Amino acid sequence: MQVTVEIWRYDPVTEESHFDSFVREADPTERVLDVMLAIKDEDDGSVAFRKSCAHGVCGSDAMEINGLNRLACQVLIQDLETDLIRIRPLRGMKVLRDLIVDMDPFFEGLKQVQPYFIPAEEAPATEYRQSIDERAAFDDTTKCIMCGACTTSCPSFWSNDAYLGPAAFVKAHRFIFDSRDAGDSVRSCFRPRRLAVAPASSWSLV
């Protein structure tokens, strides 16, 4: 099928921006990333974007595709149900060039929740032990790949520099609910409050 790919271009020298349009033949089962790589290889080598693993693990190719933040390596052409693909950089971040944004503010937000294991002062005599249920309590939040797609789709993040964003809260959850972690005191502002009328898995930050 023939697709038209519109890619946001930004020149940091002139500070001018616009969309460039590329018409490509693409298999419906190809990924958006495949088409972007073909454009870079065959049409315009100056198109700038990040990608690394290309398998949904590193999260470096997060970008806005047809109005939604997604990983270019995880979206098939056929999933978009259109032959027009419009690609923009993640919103709420300073654009460095084309689709490349400055991720420093995003990672600074993550640092504030201290997203790492804080052991108790007195380590156990053997290994840290954890039951299957204790591990399951934070299993979902271990899957965040820190691509920034959720945080940069949040209007509060665009307008409030102090708002850390959902990815930081997910990281806080991952360690607050880890029965082995002893960092409650340093993450006190992110301590969850279980809701009496909600399922046990529901929680909010106070």
Side-chain angles (χ1 to χ4, degrees):
M1 63 182 289
Q2 189 176 78
V3 294
T4 300
V5 183
E6 295 181 347
I7 298 179
W8 180 262
R9 308 300 302 272
Y10 173 72
D11 185 332
V13 177
T14 63
E15 298 184 345
E16 293 180 351
S17 58
H18 62 278
F19 279 102
D20 271 348
S21 186
F22 303 91
V23 177
R24 298 284 311 184
E25 288 295 326
D27 189 285
T29 60
E30 281 189 291
R31 306 168 301 175
V32 171
L33 179 62
D34 297 325
V35 177
M36 294 175 67
L37 290 171
I39 290 171
K40 187 170 180 66
D41 288 344
E42 301 170 15
D43 296 323
D44 187 344
S46 70
V47 175
F49 56 89
R50 290 191 176 106
K51 73 99 181 171
S52 184
C53 77
H55 288 85
V57 178
C58 73
S60 62
D61 61 348
M63 56 192 71
E64 185 184 298
I65 301 171
N66 284 9
L68 295 176
N69 284 358
R70 318 171 198 232
L71 300 180
C73 64
Q74 296 295 291
V75 181
L76 303 182
I77 301 299
Q78 63 189 13
D79 293 339
L80 297 173
E81 299 181 342
T82 177
D83 57 3
L84 176 60
I85 305 170
R86 174 168 279 201
I87 305 172
R88 298 175 55 103
L90 295 175
R91 294 179 186 268
M93 312 287 269
K94 179 183 177 182
V95 179
L96 301 177
R97 181 181 165 193
D98 297 345
L99 303 174
I100 298 175
V101 297
D102 180 5
M103 295 292 287
D104 284 352
F106 171 76
F107 289 114
E108 286 300 320
L110 287 178
K111 287 179 184 176
Q112 292 188 44
V113 303
Q114 303 195 42
Y116 44 80
F117 179 68
I118 299 176
E121 289 186 8
E122 188 171 340
T126 57
E127 72 273 18
Y128 285 93
R129 294 187 175 182
Q130 194 166 56
S131 71
I132 293 175
D133 287 342
E134 288 171 335
R135 177 63 176 77
F138 61 92
D139 189 56
D140 282 345
T141 46
T142 64
K143 298 171 184 174
C144 171
I145 60 172
M146 297 185 287
C147 65
C150 63
T151 295
T152 57
S153 65
C154 179
S156 297
F157 181 78
W158 305 341
S159 58
N160 184 352
D161 291 341
Y163 180 60
L164 302 182
F169 295 150
V170 165
K171 282 299 175 186
H173 176 285
R174 183 258 173 269
F175 290 99
I176 287 170
F177 277 82
D178 189 330
S179 60
R180 304 163 300 175
D181 186 83
D184 262 12
S185 60
V186 298
R187 301 192 192 95
S188 58
C189 62
F190 299 102
R191 184 174 295 128
R193 178 187 59 191
R194 291 187 182 277
L195 303 178
V197 297
S201 58
S202 298
W203 61 287
S204 63
L205 294 169
V206 294

